[in-house]
C-alpha cells in the first residue's frame, strides 16, 4: 500500500479517536501535528495540568533594541522573552507580582542555583503571620520548595533585590498575578532558561 495513504489513514484515525474524547483533545492533536519546529508542545508539570498553549515555551518574532542574551519581561502580558537577535526571541509564560507587588526596572542575574533552598524575607514572614500562616525560617530545596527546580537571583548595583526568576510546580498560576514580586515559570521552562543564561545577564522588567 502507498506509504502516504497509510500515514494519512493513521493520522485520520488518531484525529477521530481524539475528537471522540472532546474538542480540547482534538485541538491539541492538530496543534501537535502542525506547529512549527520552533514550538515545543504541551508541557505537564503535575497530574493532568498542562499550560495553556499561548504560555508554552516557543520561539517567536520579537523586535527590540535590546542585545541578544538579554531577558525582557512584559509583566502586563505575562511573558518573558530571551532575546536571540534577528527579530527572534524565546518566549516563556510567567506568573508575576500580584496587586501591590509588581515592579519595573533594570537588574542583572547575580547568582544561580539548582533546586535552591528558600529563606523567606522577614517582611514576608511578618505579613503572612498576620494572616495566620507561619512560614519556616528556611526550607531545603526540593519539589515542594516554592522556588522550584531553579532560581536566578536578581541584583541591582551588586546587591540582592530579594526578587528571583524561579520555578514552580503549579502551572495554573502561569499567566496570573500571583507572587510577592518574583517571576515564576514552570519547572521545565525555568530549567531551560537557566541553561541558556549566565550570571551577569541583564534583565529588563517592564
Amino acid at each position: 500500500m502507498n506509504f502516504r495513504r497509510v500515514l494519512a489513514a493513521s493520522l485520520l484515525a488518531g484525529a477521530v479517536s481524539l475528537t471522540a474524547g472532546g474538542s480540547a483533545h482534538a485541538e491539541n492533536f492538530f496543534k501537535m501535528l502542525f506547529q512549527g519546529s520552533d514550538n515545543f508542545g504541551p508541557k505537564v508539570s503535575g497530574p493532568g495540568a498542562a499550560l495553556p498553549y499561548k504560555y508554552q515555551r516557543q520561539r517567536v518574532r520579537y523586535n527590540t533594541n535590546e542585545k541578544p542574551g538579554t531577558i525582557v519581561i512584559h509583566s502586563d502580558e505575562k511573558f518573558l522573552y530571551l532575546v536571540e537577535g534577528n527579530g527572534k526571541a524565546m518566549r516563556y509564560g510567567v506568573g508575576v507580582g500580584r496587586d501591590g507587588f509588581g515592579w519595573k526596572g533594570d537588574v542583572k542575574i547575580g547568582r544561580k542555583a539548582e533546586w535552591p533552598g528558600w529563606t523567606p524575607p522577614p517582611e514576608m514572614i511578618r505579613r503572612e503571620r498576620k494572616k495566620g500562616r507561619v512560614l519556616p525560617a528556611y526550607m531545603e530545596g526540593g519539589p515542594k520548595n516554592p522556588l522550584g527546580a531553579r532560581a536566578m537571583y536578581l541584583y541591582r548595583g551588586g546587591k540582592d533585590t530579594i526578587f528571583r526568576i524561579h520555578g514552580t510546580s503549579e502551572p495554573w498560576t502561569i499567566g496570573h498575578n500571583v507572587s510577592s514580586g518574583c517571576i515564576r515559570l514552570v519547572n521545565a521552562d525555568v530549567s531551560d532558561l537557566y541553561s541558556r543564561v549566565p550570571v551577569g545577564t541583564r534583565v529588563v522588567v517592564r
Side-chain angles (χ1 to χ4, degrees):
M1 184 180 292
N2 183 283
F3 173 76
R4 291 183 178 179
R5 290 182 179 177
V6 172
L7 178 60
S10 298
L11 292 176
L12 179 60
V16 170
S17 174
L18 285 169
T19 301
S23 59
H25 292 278
E27 181 182 1
N28 287 335
F29 175 79
F30 285 107
K31 282 177 179 175
M32 290 170 65
L33 280 181
F34 299 111
Q35 65 187 5
S37 60
D38 286 344
N39 296 330
F40 296 84
K43 295 175 182 58
V44 177
S45 299
L51 282 176
Y53 183 71
K54 75 173 185 175
Y55 293 124
Q56 291 171 23
R57 182 171 81 246
Q58 51 193 286
R59 186 167 285 109
V60 298
R61 301 188 68 81
Y62 184 66
N63 295 316
T64 179
N65 293 324
E66 301 293 348
K67 295 179 179 179
T70 303
I71 291 173
V72 183
I73 299 168
H74 291 256
S75 298
D76 290 346
E77 299 175 9
K78 313 302 188 294
F79 288 129
L80 179 154
Y81 296 87
L82 175 59
V83 179
E84 295 182 340
N86 297 319
K88 294 280 189 176
M90 191 67 74
R91 189 182 75 187
Y92 306 78
V94 298
V96 299
R98 61 185 182 271
D99 289 347
F101 291 90
W103 61 282
K104 298 179 181 180
D106 196 322
V107 294
K108 289 186 177 181
I109 294 177
R111 71 182 183 94
K112 299 165 57 179
E114 299 184 12
W115 293 107
W118 179 49
T119 302
E123 58 269 25
M124 178 182 287
I125 292 176
R126 290 192 295 269
R127 185 171 64 245
E128 293 301 315
R129 185 180 295 128
K130 292 179 180 178
K131 299 177 183 177
R133 182 186 177 202
V134 178
L135 296 181
Y138 176 78
M139 181 184 289
E140 292 286 347
K144 295 183 179 180
N145 189 295
L147 295 185
R150 302 288 187 272
M152 288 156 273
Y153 297 76
L154 303 180
Y155 281 57
R156 180 184 287 126
K159 296 182 179 180
D160 190 351
T161 65
I162 77 167
F163 297 124
R164 287 83 173 92
I165 297 172
H166 66 80
T168 181
S169 58
E170 301 176 337
W172 56 89
T173 64
I174 301 303
H176 299 281
N177 299 77
V178 289
S179 75
S180 295
C182 290
I183 309 298
R184 65 172 64 181
L185 300 80
V186 291
N187 283 329
D189 283 354
V190 79
S191 297
D192 179 83
L193 179 64
Y194 184 99
S195 71
R196 295 174 185 268
V197 296
V199 169
T201 294
R202 182 168 176 245
V203 180
V204 180
V205 182
R206 296 177 176 169

